[in-house]
Amino acid sequence: MGNLVNEKRPVIKIETLELGPHAQKKIFLPKESGFDKHKTLAVWFFAAIAFGVALTSFLVETGEHTAKAVDNFFASKEVALVENKENLILGSDDQKEDEEVSFYTGAGNFVKATSKNPPKTSSLSYLVGDIETGEIIFEKNPEFVFPIASVSKLMTAIVAKELLDLHNYVVVSKSSVNTYGTQGGLNSGERILITDLLYPLLIESSNDAAEVLADGLGRENFLKAMNNKAVQIGMASTTYSDPSGLSPKNVSSTKDLFVLAQFINKNYPDIWDITRVTEYGVLKHKWVNSNRLMRKPSFIGGKNGYTEEAFRTTVSVFDIPFKVFGTKDIVKRKVAVVILKSNEREADVDILLRFLESNFAFSYEKDSIEELGGTN
């Protein structure tokens, strides 16, 4: 009887198969043949144990190889992260060959860290500079002259403050109301204080308000005053053909507009204050600020513009913290960002500000500035 059982005992075959770099064990069991149920279960039990051991060995070996591969992958990515840190921070690509960015280091207060690529923006021309010292930190195509759109209204505000009595009333003319655009909601024949008109002019970018202010001096005289003022403060490439910026003949360069920002900062900082007002109401009017750059905590003030010819433009000022060269101190500086011919103004401003904060430090000693190996 015992011999019979031995003859009918199934043979468990375990074969080793080579699969790439790993060995896999495969178990072969014959079909049941006169074996009772309990013996069959026992066979399967021991077979399962053998298979489990083989599988565990395979998974451990595979896991080790996979872990090494993952470690190598992320190690290579970490190297790339270090090598291209500024690109990842800025979301920028390699600079195009025809785009040249000038960096001014060694002659002013700002020290530039080593950086492979300058910031890439959609704008054809930009400038970033310290508004109080006049130091240009970096720029692209500063001499290019483009339409500036509603950035023109900064000069409109200056001339109005200098040549009009802000406490006088002005009557809104029909021609002013017929100007393209509905911002401001002014009505023909209504009387309004000149000082109040500065709010729809600067926070809603009202073309009507710009024309009403110009009427206060006589439109031609007002435009002449705008152009004379540009020449007086050194805006050699700037021309104004209307007080609103609708005309494509209102042109300037980022370098000229940086000069304008400096002039406002020194002489009429209240213009920046107006551009930070979220809303302003008088009589039946309520003007609301739609400038998205105003959401930045560092925003001091500024004016945006848009026309089909100008694309998107801005002259904006921010209070930016910088590391002080050679110390752990932090100092805040008022920095102007001027952008012309942009498709994505807000994104471009973000790119420029993040590049500025990541790649520059501030030094109080101009004569001892050297290029840094990194400020991060």
Side-chain angles (χ1 to χ4, degrees):
M1 186 71 175
N3 291 336
L4 181 61
V5 172
N6 289 336
E7 289 176 0
K8 293 183 178 181
R9 182 176 295 159
V11 179
I12 299 174
K13 296 173 62 179
I14 300 178
E15 295 183 3
T16 300
L17 303 178
E18 298 294 333
L19 299 176
H22 307 293
Q24 179 179 352
K25 296 183 183 302
K26 191 171 184 180
I27 300 173
F28 296 90
L29 289 175
K31 295 180 181 179
E32 292 186 33
S33 177
F35 235 51
D36 63 12
K37 185 176 181 181
H38 295 291
K39 291 180 180 180
T40 302
L41 290 173
V43 170
W44 277 104
F45 176 75
F46 289 108
I49 293 175
F51 179 75
V53 171
L55 180 61
T56 301
S57 175
F58 170 73
L59 291 176
V60 169
E61 186 178 357
T62 303
E64 290 176 352
H65 283 278
T66 303
K68 289 180 180 179
V70 171
D71 287 343
N72 290 337
F73 173 79
F74 281 106
S76 65
K77 292 300 181 184
E78 187 174 354
V79 171
L81 178 64
V82 173
E83 291 179 347
N84 300 284
K85 188 173 183 181
E86 69 274 15
N87 287 344
L88 294 177
I89 290 175
L90 302 175
S92 61
D93 300 318
D94 290 342
Q95 193 76 9
K96 294 180 180 179
E97 292 182 1
D98 60 345
E99 293 181 339
E100 294 185 1
V101 177
S102 299
F103 297 93
Y104 297 89
T105 58
N109 293 105
F110 288 90
V111 190
K112 180 180 177 294
T114 306
S115 177
K116 281 188 176 181
N117 301 311
K120 181 182 177 182
T121 66
S122 70
S123 55
L124 296 184
S125 180
Y126 61 70
L127 183 151
V128 177
D130 187 311
I131 200 172
E132 294 178 317
T133 66
E135 179 180 352
I136 298 172
I137 306 171
F138 59 96
E139 59 185 6
K140 181 175 78 172
N141 299 327
E143 307 293 347
F144 282 24
V145 176
F146 294 117
I148 60 175
S150 286
V151 167
S152 304
K153 293 182 173 79
L154 290 174
M155 183 62 83
T156 303
I158 291 171
V159 172
K161 290 175 74 66
E162 289 189 347
L163 300 182
L164 299 178
D165 186 343
L166 299 181
H167 301 292
N168 276 350
Y169 282 89
V170 64
V171 177
V172 177
S173 66
K174 185 176 181 179
S175 61
S176 297
V177 173
N178 288 337
T179 305
Y180 177 81
T182 59
Q183 290 90 344
L186 302 178
N187 300 302
S188 178
E190 73 170 302
R191 294 173 72 250
I192 189 167
L193 274 174
I194 290 176
T195 188
D196 288 333
L197 281 174
L198 294 177
Y199 289 87
L201 176 79
L202 295 173
I203 70 174
E204 280 200 355
S205 200
S206 170
N207 298 327
D208 295 0
E211 291 291 344
V212 174
L213 288 170
D215 285 344
L217 192 65
R219 194 174 191 273
E220 293 304 316
N221 291 333
F222 196 93
L223 289 176
K224 184 178 180 180
M226 290 176 69
N227 285 293
N228 287 343
K229 193 66 183 181
V231 173
Q232 178 187 337
I233 65 177
M235 299 173 67
S237 301
T238 302
T239 302
Y240 295 100
S241 292
D242 70 17
S244 67
L246 283 173
S247 172
K249 295 180 180 180
N250 281 31
V251 297
S252 189
S253 65
T254 56
K255 183 164 286 187
D256 276 13
L257 293 174
F258 180 56
V259 170
L260 178 65
Q262 286 180 270
F263 180 82
I264 293 173
N265 191 70
K266 182 178 180 180
N267 298 281
Y268 300 106
D270 56 312
I271 287 179
W272 300 142
D273 296 337
I274 292 175
T275 63
R276 289 199 314 275
V277 172
T278 55
E279 62 180 50
Y280 183 85
V282 58
L283 299 177
K284 59 184 177 181
H285 295 291
K286 181 180 178 181
W287 300 300
V288 179
N289 198 330
S290 60
N291 184 354
R292 286 189 288 169
L293 294 176
M294 191 180 65
R295 301 172 189 172
K296 294 181 177 296
S298 60
F299 183 74
I300 292 176
K303 185 73 189 73
N304 297 336
Y306 170 77
T307 62
E308 290 183 359
E309 296 85 2
F311 296 3
R312 287 171 171 80
T313 64
T314 193
V315 174
S316 295
V317 182
F318 302 90
D319 200 15
I320 303 298
F322 292 92
K323 294 180 181 178
V324 177
F325 180 59
T327 74
K328 295 183 179 180
D329 296 337
I330 300 294
V331 62
K332 285 192 173 183
R333 303 297 304 173
K334 290 182 180 179
V335 173
V337 176
V338 184
I339 289 177
L340 295 179
K341 279 283 184 178
S342 170
N343 289 320
E344 300 174 356
R345 175 179 52 231
E346 286 74 20
D348 287 349
V349 169
D350 284 341
I351 288 171
L352 295 177
L353 289 180
R354 294 196 306 212
F355 182 84
L356 175 69
E357 293 180 64
S358 298
N359 291 280
F360 289 86
F362 185 85
S363 174
Y364 289 106
E365 299 178 8
K366 294 184 179 182
D367 297 334
S368 62
I369 291 180
E370 296 177 357
E371 188 172 286
L372 293 176
T375 60
N376 294 330

